[in-house]
Amino acid sequence: MSRTTLVVVAVIAALVGALSGSWFMHTRNSPPSDFGADAGFSRDMQAHHAQAVEMALLVRERSDDEELRTVAYDILTSQQQQAGQMYGWLVQWGLPQTGSGEPMAWVGEDHAKAHTRPDGTMPGMASRALLDELRAADGLAAERLFLTLMIAHHEGGVAMADAALAQARTTEVRTLAAAISSAQASEITLLQRMLDERG
């Protein structure tokens, strides 16, 4: 190969490398799509967290058990803080807080059904009837129902977080998804132990 040919090849390689790097930086730094996993997870998990906060507040009003009240307080404060993060991301990305798609549409059509319940709600979400039952319960009955609902809620939250961890393209969303998955998996063990203690 001639010296001239080598120089031309080197120049072309350098240009391709520069263009590829520019494209990568643009893709990495550009805001997420309105229909992608980053935005979809941020919207859906805010709604999911809001129900957990509601249930935690309800059981704190209905139980005198200090351990349970502390766990409920930890859930409501951590999930409110995380919801605030996700709200802020959507503002930063210039995206609306609500999307036009169905819950969990961001996981992709092939997987959306596996991540939603038959009524179209997100995994782990308690029905209105069960929330009304929790509002009407008191003492031990309220504690048992809360623990049962929150275990299912966390299981759904872990599934959502794992889907976001696999699909999201922003570091901040993947980092939060990993933290949610780990924390809620650990809390499930604690909640199950507390439920077992109540018979």
Side-chain angles (χ1 to χ4, degrees):
M1 188 177 291
S2 70
R3 182 180 175 87
T4 303
T5 304
L6 285 172
V7 170
V8 170
V9 169
V11 169
I12 291 173
L15 285 172
V16 169
L19 289 171
S20 297
S22 173
W23 176 86
F24 174 77
M25 291 300 293
H26 173 75
T27 302
R28 190 181 69 174
N29 295 326
S30 60
S33 160
D34 193 27
F35 304 103
D38 300 83
F41 173 75
S42 297
R43 290 171 178 142
D44 284 352
M45 192 55 86
Q46 280 189 73
H48 204 268
H49 275 11
Q51 188 179 82
V53 168
E54 180 183 4
M55 291 193 294
L57 286 168
L58 285 171
V59 80
R60 278 181 59 83
E61 295 171 354
R62 288 156 176 76
S63 173
D64 295 325
D65 184 89
E66 282 307 312
E67 182 186 25
L68 181 56
R69 286 172 54 83
T70 298
V71 169
Y73 180 79
D74 288 344
I75 289 171
L76 73 91
T77 53
S78 64
Q79 296 205 17
Q80 280 181 320
Q81 186 271 333
Q82 290 168 353
Q85 277 185 269
M86 292 180 279
Y87 181 96
W89 291 337
L90 289 165
V91 171
Q92 180 183 346
W93 298 332
L95 299 176
Q97 294 295 324
T98 56
S100 57
E102 295 295 318
M104 301 302 296
W106 54 271
V107 301
E109 190 173 338
D110 293 341
H111 304 287
K113 287 185 179 179
H115 286 85
T116 53
R117 293 164 28 153
D119 61 0
T121 57
M122 289 175 280
M125 292 289 278
S127 67
R128 186 176 300 276
L130 286 170
L131 288 176
D132 287 342
E133 188 178 337
L134 180 58
R135 291 186 188 99
D138 198 20
L140 185 59
E143 293 171 6
R144 285 175 175 158
L145 182 56
F146 167 79
L147 290 165
T148 301
L149 294 177
M150 193 57 75
I151 289 167
H153 201 271
H154 273 11
E155 288 171 346
V158 169
M160 291 171 66
D162 288 347
L165 187 57
Q167 297 185 37
R169 69 178 183 84
T170 60
T171 301
E172 56 264 40
V173 172
R174 290 196 303 270
T175 300
L176 181 60
I180 289 172
S181 179
S182 176
Q184 294 197 10
S186 178
E187 283 180 350
I188 288 169
T189 301
L190 172 61
L191 296 169
Q192 187 62 59
R193 188 263 296 165
M194 296 175 75
L195 180 60
D196 291 343
E197 289 174 352
R198 287 161 173 79

